[in-house]
Amino acid sequence: FYRKKYVREPGFLKLDHDKWLLEFMIDTAVLEGIPTAIKMLQRVVGVEPDGIIGIVTEGAILNIEPSLLRKKMLKARMTHLLHCSLADVPQDVINTTQLKWLRGWLNRLLDFF
């Protein structure tokens, strides 16, 4: 199920030249959703985010230094996690429904460092 839904269908096998990126994208897709994961990658590599890993996205991935791509992807996902946990919350209210999961999400993200 996971291989079909989170690897083959979104086209992540096109990323198999970079094991770290492939694993990171699968993990991001499982947690955040496939379109969000792909658009996050597209924004990081500087292409129009359409949610499809096509030749433009592939080319942009190959044109960015892998260590820079990793750093930017980690930052993008961390920003996304924090935004989703704190979004639309009044300053004086803690969104415990999301914050209770934040530590686990961040720990999972840290495994990619």
Side-chain angles (χ1 to χ4, degrees):
F1 170 78
Y2 269 84
R3 179 172 285 286
K4 181 178 183 257
K5 181 163 177 75
Y6 295 104
V7 181
R8 280 185 262 155
E9 287 180 3
F12 290 159
L13 289 176
K14 297 174 186 176
L15 308 175
D16 68 351
H17 62 279
D18 184 336
K19 184 179 186 249
W20 182 93
L21 182 59
L22 175 62
E23 290 177 8
F24 187 83
M25 289 301 295
I26 293 166
D27 193 66
T28 304
V30 168
L31 289 178
E32 310 299 336
I34 294 166
T36 299
I38 295 173
K39 289 176 183 179
M40 185 182 301
L41 173 62
Q42 290 174 316
R43 285 184 192 96
V44 163
V45 298
V47 300
E48 184 67 32
D50 62 5
I52 300 167
I53 299 178
I55 58 172
V56 174
T57 301
E58 287 180 71
I61 292 167
L62 294 174
N63 284 326
I64 189 169
E65 210 280 299
S67 63
L68 180 60
L69 176 59
R70 290 174 185 162
K71 180 179 176 180
K72 287 184 169 195
M73 287 300 295
L74 288 163
K75 182 178 178 182
R77 185 156 151 198
M78 187 175 300
T79 300
H80 178 79
L81 288 171
L82 292 171
H83 175 75
C84 288
S85 297
L86 302 172
D88 302 321
V89 179
Q91 291 181 9
D92 61 337
V93 177
I94 297 174
N95 185 351
T96 57
T97 62
Q98 293 302 307
L99 287 178
K100 68 181 177 181
W101 305 111
L102 183 59
R103 178 180 286 169
W105 293 331
L106 292 174
N107 283 335
R108 187 170 177 157
L109 179 60
L110 289 172
D111 287 340
F112 284 96
F113 276 93

